[in-house]
Amino acid sequence: MNEYFKSVTLKSTGATSFIEKETIQNLWSGYGKIKRIHLQGGDIKSVVIKNVQLPKSNNHPRGWNSDIGHQRKLKSYEVESNFYEHFGKKSTARLPHCFALENKDDEVLMVLEDLDEAGFSLRKQKVTWLEIEICLEWLAKFHASYLGKIPKGLWKVGTYWHLATRPQELEALNDVALKNAATAINDKLNNCKYKTLVHGDAKLANFCFSNDGKVAGVDFQYVGGGCGMKDVAYFIGSCLYEEDCERLESEILDTYFKYLQLALGSKNEALEKEWRSLYHIAWADFHRFLKGWSPGHWKINSYSERITKSVIENL
């Protein structure tokens, strides 16, 4: 971390010094690091630092080395900064407090609340139904917080797999029927009447759990406008195998909409009807991206294929 960012971190947290405790993770494709630092001399014990730096070499894990990918990644960090600055405090879903945001010399600094220290220290690779339910509640609260909001400074259309930002993956897609239907699927999903802000990368790995049954969300690089079903379908696909995705489909949607209506404070039947009809559309949209990006991915399964085939037939 450069000296200026060090001074910003100390000033924003009221600390007099700090020690870098650990690197939590390297950012995708070499764009910096997320670190946990211990603070001294103030009331806050620790924070998480997200330090974005331009990579010295373009070394994408799946080979998508291009200016398109580079610009998409750069914008994603600008979007995340804008989200924390202008939208984060409006969320009734738990997310980290942002102490400071800075840009200097092609670097970005985000000083964020340490959710481990706040009690959200558990990460899950497998989840029970109860844990799925609390994540669906989180998504419902998040979507209710931003219903009808204009995504100014964010992605106009949220999610990292949005069709307009993924021309390479579409070109690589060998499924001709899906390739031909991609634009119609995209349009049907994104021309919905009821829009909110979607998280855009709501996979299981981006949820932090507490011992007392609560959850917080992190990583807001792909927040933007859209239908809440995008997050729900993507989240479910990240934590359940195909037989459970299918078996629990009705319960998943009933649970999500129960919490959404509660978060909205009054029942919006028109929204629920529209969004329920778009769940399979959202699933097919991500399936389109996945088949072009990584044709051998474990998430490509018979359930997704059947849903997508049905969606195409009913367009």
Side-chain angles (χ1 to χ4, degrees):
M1 190 191 306
N2 64 48
E3 291 301 317
Y4 176 67
F5 282 176
K6 288 179 180 178
S7 68
V8 168
T9 301
L10 294 175
K11 183 178 180 180
S12 66
T13 59
T16 56
S17 63
F18 67 77
I19 300 171
E20 292 188 9
K21 182 185 178 185
E22 61 179 324
T23 297
I24 298 173
Q25 70 180 73
N26 294 313
L27 296 178
W28 191 250
S29 303
Y31 280 74
K33 298 178 184 294
I34 301 176
K35 295 183 177 183
R36 176 172 287 107
I37 63 174
H38 278 190
L39 302 171
Q40 298 167 329
D43 295 332
I44 303 169
K45 293 182 179 181
S46 64
V47 289
V48 169
I49 298 295
K50 194 166 188 175
N51 189 184
V52 182
Q53 302 165 304
L54 293 186
K56 295 178 180 177
S57 63
N58 217 355
N59 186 28
H60 192 287
R62 293 193 183 272
W64 296 118
N65 297 337
S66 71
D67 186 59
I68 292 173
H70 176 67
Q71 293 302 322
R72 182 175 61 242
K73 186 60 66 177
L74 290 183
K75 183 174 179 179
S76 78
Y77 294 116
E78 178 185 345
V79 163
E80 186 168 32
S81 295
N82 287 337
F83 173 76
Y84 277 121
E85 183 174 5
H86 301 294
F87 294 90
K89 292 180 181 178
K90 297 179 177 71
S91 175
T92 59
R94 185 66 160 89
L95 47 91
H97 173 73
C98 183
F99 294 102
L101 297 165
E102 285 291 338
N103 292 270
K104 185 177 175 62
D105 299 332
D106 294 325
E107 289 190 45
V108 178
L109 175 74
M110 302 177 201
V111 183
L112 303 170
E113 177 187 13
D114 183 354
L115 288 175
D116 279 15
E117 187 67 30
F120 297 90
S121 60
L122 304 178
R123 309 294 182 268
K124 306 281 186 178
Q125 293 183 322
K126 294 182 179 180
V127 282
T128 64
W129 170 254
L130 180 59
E131 289 160 346
I132 290 173
E133 185 171 349
I134 62 175
C135 290
L136 290 172
E137 181 181 11
W138 189 96
L139 288 173
K141 287 181 176 179
F142 187 85
H143 297 152
S145 298
Y146 303 109
L147 188 65
K149 300 297 182 184
I150 304 299
K152 186 178 180 181
L154 309 177
W155 295 98
K156 182 179 179 181
V157 178
T159 74
Y160 69 83
W161 61 90
H162 172 45
L163 184 62
T165 66
R166 292 293 185 171
Q168 291 172 303
E169 290 81 0
L170 182 63
E171 181 62 29
L173 181 60
N174 290 322
D175 185 330
V176 176
L178 180 53
K179 193 171 189 175
N180 291 338
T183 297
I185 290 171
N186 177 76
D187 291 347
K188 193 170 182 65
L189 188 59
N190 294 314
N191 290 336
C192 61
K193 177 181 178 181
Y194 294 97
K195 291 186 175 69
T196 185
L197 297 185
V198 295
H199 179 285
D201 193 10
K203 59 190 175 187
L204 181 59
N206 281 334
F207 287 97
C208 307
F209 296 81
S210 69
N211 282 312
D212 60 351
K214 296 177 182 177
V215 71
V218 297
D219 196 353
F220 298 95
Q221 291 171 224
Y222 292 96
V223 173
C227 168
M229 292 293 94
K230 288 180 165 186
D231 281 340
V232 176
Y234 178 66
F235 167 70
I236 292 301
S238 78
C239 61
L240 290 179
Y241 289 109
E242 61 176 309
E243 58 270 19
D244 293 320
C245 292
E246 186 166 17
R247 178 176 61 86
L248 295 170
E249 185 178 296
S250 294
E251 193 168 357
I252 287 162
L253 291 174
D254 289 347
T255 300
Y256 168 80
F257 284 110
K258 175 185 73 174
Y259 286 119
L260 182 67
Q261 301 290 11
L262 285 172
L264 291 173
S266 60
K267 194 168 180 64
N268 189 328
E269 293 181 355
L271 179 152
E272 180 169 341
K273 182 179 180 181
E274 181 186 58
W275 281 14
R276 275 183 181 269
S277 73
L278 293 173
Y279 181 66
H280 284 179
I281 306 291
W283 198 284
D285 186 58
F286 180 69
H287 189 62
R288 174 267 312 159
F289 160 73
L290 200 59
K291 289 190 78 172
W293 180 64
S294 179
H297 202 284
W298 68 270
K299 290 182 184 178
I300 298 173
N301 54 52
S302 60
Y303 173 68
S304 296
E305 291 285 0
R306 290 196 306 275
I307 283 177
T308 302
K309 182 180 178 182
S310 176
V311 165
I312 293 171
E313 289 173 350
N314 288 289
L315 284 173

